[in-house]
Amino acid sequence: MKAPELQYQLRDAGSIGEVMTALSSRFQLTSEPEQSVRHTLHDSFDWRLFQAGLQLDEVQGQGRHELTLRKLDDGAACETIRLEGPVEGFYQAYPPGLLRDRLAAALQMRSLLPQVEVRCRERLLSVLDDERKTVVRVTLQEHAARPPGRGEYRPMAALVRLLPVRGYAKPLTQLGRFLADTLELQPQREPLIVLGLAAIDRQPLDYSSKLDIELQPRMPAGEVARQIHLTLLETLEANLPGTRADLDSEFLHDLRVAVRRTRSALSQISGVFPEAEVEAFKERFAWLGQLTGPSRDLDVYLLGFDEYRNSLPEPFRHDLEPLHAFLVRHQQAEHQAMVRKLNSPHFHRLIKEWRAFLQATPGAEPSLEQAAPLVGKPIAKLAGKRIHRTFGKVLKEGLAINPRSPPEALHGLRKRCKKLRYLLEFFQSLYPADQVKPLIKRLKGLLDNLGEFQDLEVQADKLREFAHQMVAEGEVPADTLLAMGMLVDGLLRRQQESRLAFAERFARFADAEQLATFEQLFGKAGKKRAESGGAA
């Protein structure tokens, strides 16, 4: 088994010569000429590789243009491939192998983006034994970093890296001890992407679509509402460039989720803003949701196209290619129409006025208390009451559904469950994580079932609509229409299976343990704790 690489931080770049002199006095060395290479570290916008414990390193220089996928914990290379052109965004562009498999598992539908560029000047040394065989390789590295392709380089830590040679673990350990004990160098375990990002004042995981707002029970409800809305606005704005450029489908997805959460918060956290302002912004954010809907719908059909095709028997799969071309063409047209509206003065005015409203310091005049009576109430009391009431409505609506209930009953329950989920996510930091997170997880399971039931119905209806559109727009092969009909039949069968699974999913969500936890956290006992100023 190959030993892991070791890495040590130098005091500064000027001490590289001192290290070379010290190593030469103690070990037999050969040295190669200094080289300069450029590393560009890639990840998705939401750091999926980093979260999977991986680092994707593009190296250019000295006749090399390679892409290496490494483990973050020990720097070990999973696979290296040669590149003939720029790094491709999606995993499907890479040849079959471990690198592609790992990218596929981590990235899914997300595109790779350059995160930081690191310029590296390095000298490679070989440590020899008495038979002049190489037992350890050493690289002395001087780094500087910048945002990819722009700006001035900023200095980084200089490093000594010890690269193991198979079968020579002992010399590696001896050399590492020499650097640490004799030269007093500090081990540096951070991967290159972390060091490079730090040099440009960034860090991994600096974007997440998840709400992570730390609240205190006695915080005024108005202050909490503003904090929640500002966080959602930042998420919306962070996803605008990727949405406009159509880098991948998740930018628009996260933008739309931020809009839905904003609309839900305006409705669910009521009484903290003047009602006239709330109604005006609800209407304007509804417009934003509508203008982004058609493009997102077509994204979803394209993302699911392989599943559509693979659901058909092999002889019929090729017949769906005209449908794919239709979806691509219309997605591009809808995206262009959406971008025009996102670039419009109307949209920019909405974002500017919403931020100004959220950042304005509320006055203390009596008129505000009349217009927003709950603005100063402790958030723990308000949150528990809203969650408990919404959960009661979910329970009542869910228990009323039986095998004869119309689809609209399940659609209505889904909307109610979404409201409950958003409330739990908004206020989860007020409650013990080991209790509230399982509630959210069970609720997501129910929502998955309800969402699948509705989505399959919508998809079946939309495919029929697409068939009519394709006929109206020009000739379409009869075999394509027949294959689309087979898809519709399959979707409706799956919808029925989803409907049959609902009772079990709802029973799991509303079992005795769940009911007891909801009552403990948000019922009378939870209310007393909230009123005393303590989290549940």
Side-chain angles (χ1 to χ4, degrees), residues 10-53:
L10 299 177
R11 289 182 294 277
D12 51 54
S15 59
I16 288 179
E18 299 174 13
V19 172
M20 286 190 64
T21 300
L23 290 174
S24 299
S25 67
R26 179 70 177 271
F27 303 95
Q28 293 188 66
L29 301 176
T30 61
S31 175
E32 297 183 10
E34 183 178 88
Q35 298 184 351
S36 294
V37 296
R38 185 173 75 245
H39 299 262
T40 305
L41 289 308
H42 299 262
D43 207 329
S44 67
F45 186 67
D46 54 359
W47 300 100
R48 296 193 179 190
L49 292 181
F50 192 88
Q51 292 181 77

Side-chain angles (χ1 to χ4, degrees), residues 375-416:
V375 66
K377 299 293 183 183
I379 189 58
K381 181 178 179 180
L382 177 64
K385 183 177 179 180
R386 295 281 164 85
I387 292 171
H388 191 263
R389 183 173 63 189
T390 305
F391 174 70
K393 292 179 179 179
V394 166
L395 203 60
K396 181 179 179 180
E397 291 180 19
L399 290 172
I401 293 175
N402 59 57
R404 295 179 301 279
S405 298
E408 291 75 17
L410 280 83
H411 301 339
L413 178 62
R414 183 193 186 195
K415 291 179 182 178
R416 188 74 67 186

Side-chain angles (χ1 to χ4, degrees), residues 230-246:
L230 282 168
T231 300
L232 293 172
L233 178 56
E234 289 168 2
T235 299
L236 189 159
E237 291 180 317
N239 283 282
L240 277 170
T243 295
R244 290 188 174 109
D246 203 15

Side-chain angles (χ1 to χ4, degrees), residues 8 10 15-21 23 29 31 34-35 120-125 137-143 158-162 179 185:
Y8 298 85
L10 299 177
S15 59
I16 288 179
E18 299 174 13
V19 172
M20 286 190 64
T21 300
L23 290 174
L29 301 176
S31 175
E34 183 178 88
Q35 298 184 351
C120 177
R121 293 167 54 190
E122 65 180 19
R123 182 179 294 273
L124 178 64
L125 311 176
R137 290 187 173 88
V138 181
T139 60
L140 304 171
Q141 300 177 330
E142 179 184 350
H143 297 103
L159 300 174
V160 181
R161 292 178 61 212
L162 306 186
L179 295 176
L185 300 184

Side-chain angles (χ1 to χ4, degrees), residues 506-523:
F506 186 79
R508 191 186 310 169
F509 166 73
D511 65 16
E513 182 181 356
Q514 287 270 107
L515 295 177
T517 302
F518 263 101
E519 193 60 34
Q520 177 189 354
L521 293 181
F522 315 114

Side-chain angles (χ1 to χ4, degrees), residues 343-365:
N343 291 334
S344 69
H346 184 69
F347 173 76
H348 288 293
R349 189 161 53 249
L350 165 60
I351 298 303
K352 181 180 179 181
E353 291 177 0
W354 179 231
R355 180 173 288 281
F357 173 76
L358 295 175
Q359 291 180 334
T361 302
E365 61 273 10

